[in-house]
Each structure stands twice: as C-alpha cells, then as structure tokens.
C-alpha cells in the first residue's frame, strides 16, 4: 500500500512539474484503506489547481457535460474508465477536443494522423468502438483532414460514455469516495 502511495505522490509531483493538473486530493481518494489528507500534509504545495478541484464534485452528477467540463472530473472519470478497461474513450474524446483548437494545417495533419493511428485505424493500440462506416469515412479522408474529421466518431464515443459509462461512474467507489470526502470537509 505504501508503495502505491509513493507512486501516486511521485506521479503527482511529476505532473505538477510538467504542468499537468493532477491533484493530491483526488489521488488520496484512490488509495483505498489509507486515511491521510495529502493536501493538509503538504499544505497544498503539490496541487496545481487554483481552488479545491473537488469543490464541484456534487455537480458532476447533474450531467456528463458537467463532469467533462471540469479537469478534476475528467481525471476521476478517466481513472474509472481505466478500471473498466475503456480509458481509450475519454482519451479519444479529449484528443478530439484538443484537435478542434488547432490553427495550422501542418499541425492539423500531424495531429489527425496521430489520432487516427492511435484510436481509429483497425488494430490501433487504443482502438475505439465505432461502426465500420464511420471508421471507413475517416480512413478515406485522413489524407486531407479538416477540423471536423473526427466529429462523427467523437459524437458516437460521447454517446457511449454518456449512456453506458457515466451512470456506472456515478455509482462507482471512485465517485462515491470523492463525494464522501467532499462532504467531510
């Protein structure tokens, strides 16, 4: 258990140094059976968030949009999806959100090819579950990508997460633990 704690702390420190938003309060909830307030212990020095990232944890149950609209919510949902072996869904959805912000054509081509090879192409390392027609359309057009190249696939994955994964997340130990932690503060 302490090895897991040490690993999670190291991940948090590295994430903070890299500018990634991982919060020790969220990591605390992942360490089952160990009651320790890392934020109190480290006086917030390990947190990258300007405010308590779990302040809005109760609003995550209002909609999948509220959950995905919050960085801490994305992290918690990703941890849950990882436990269900479907982390590729949120990773693809997040990659598509970033892709839509691209301003230059060379960057768009590079990013489109990365998303395609990581998530869309048959036998991709993190292949998402989409219908053959959508996969074929993306494959056919990948040589000339646009900002909307992945929209249909992203909508399918969003629907899958909203319909199947999100309700299970709300009942999960991860979310319930975050709610309990939030209620106790």
């Amino acid at each position: 258990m302490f090895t897991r704690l040490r690993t999670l702390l190291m991940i948090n420190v590295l994430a903070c140094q890299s500018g990634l938003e991982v919060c020790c309060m969220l990591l605390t909830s992942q360490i089952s059976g160990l009651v320790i307030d890392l934020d109190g212990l480290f006086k917030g020095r390990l947190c990258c968030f300007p405010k308590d990232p779990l302040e809005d944890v109760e609003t995550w149950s209002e909609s999948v949009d509220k959950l995905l609209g919050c960085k801490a919510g994305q992290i918690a949902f990703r941890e849950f999806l990882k436990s269900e072996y479907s982390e590729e869904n949120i990773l693809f959805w997040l990659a598509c959100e970033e892709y839509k912000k691209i301003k230059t054509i060379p960057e768009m081509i590079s990013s489109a090819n990365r998303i395609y090879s990581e998530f869309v192409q048959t036998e991709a390392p993190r292949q998402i579950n989409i219908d053959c027609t959508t996969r074929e359309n993306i494959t056919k057009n990948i040589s000339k990508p646009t900002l909307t190249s992945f929209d249909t696939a992203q909508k399918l994955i969003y629907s899958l997460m909203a319909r199947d994964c999100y309700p299970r997340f709300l009942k999960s130990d991860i979310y319930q633990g975050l709610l309990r932690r939030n209620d106790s503060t």
Side-chain angles (χ1 to χ4, degrees), residues 66-80:
K66 294 262 185 170
L67 174 68
L68 294 175
C70 172
K71 290 287 186 188
Q74 291 172 8
I75 294 167
F77 194 45
R78 180 177 174 180
E79 285 301 312
F80 169 72

Side-chain angles (χ1 to χ4, degrees), residues 153-169:
Q154 186 185 22
K155 286 175 186 159
L156 289 170
I157 294 303
Y158 176 89
S159 293
L160 175 71
M161 290 191 302
R163 184 183 62 248
D164 295 338
C165 307
Y166 175 68
R168 286 195 308 275
F169 168 74

Side-chain angles (χ1 to χ4, degrees), residues 12-23:
N12 193 44
V13 170
L14 292 172
C16 287
Q17 291 170 348
S18 307
L20 299 174
E21 294 181 355
V22 177
C23 179

Side-chain angles (χ1 to χ4, degrees), residues 4-91:
R4 180 175 163 94
L5 172 61
R6 206 171 18 255
T7 303
L8 290 172
L9 282 172
M10 184 54 85
I11 289 168
N12 193 44
V13 170
L14 292 172
C16 287
Q17 291 170 348
S18 307
L20 299 174
E21 294 181 355
V22 177
C23 179
C24 53
M25 288 177 272
L26 183 60
L27 294 175
T28 303
S29 71
Q30 297 298 303
I31 305 169
S32 58
L34 182 63
V35 180
I36 182 169
D37 180 2
L38 295 177
D39 193 48
L41 182 65
F42 292 102
K43 311 283 188 270
R45 287 189 308 256
L46 294 180
C47 283
C48 299
F49 294 100
K51 66 173 188 158
D52 182 346
L54 301 178
E55 191 174 282
D56 301 326
V57 73
E58 291 176 4
T59 66
W60 300 350
S61 65
E62 294 172 14
S63 72
V64 72
D65 289 327
K66 294 262 185 170
L67 174 68
L68 294 175
C70 172
K71 290 287 186 188
Q74 291 172 8
I75 294 167
F77 194 45
R78 180 177 174 180
E79 285 301 312
F80 169 72
L81 291 175
K82 194 182 294 187
S83 75
E84 292 208 330
Y85 304 100
S86 59
E87 179 185 22
E88 69 277 358
N89 292 326
I90 192 163
L91 293 176

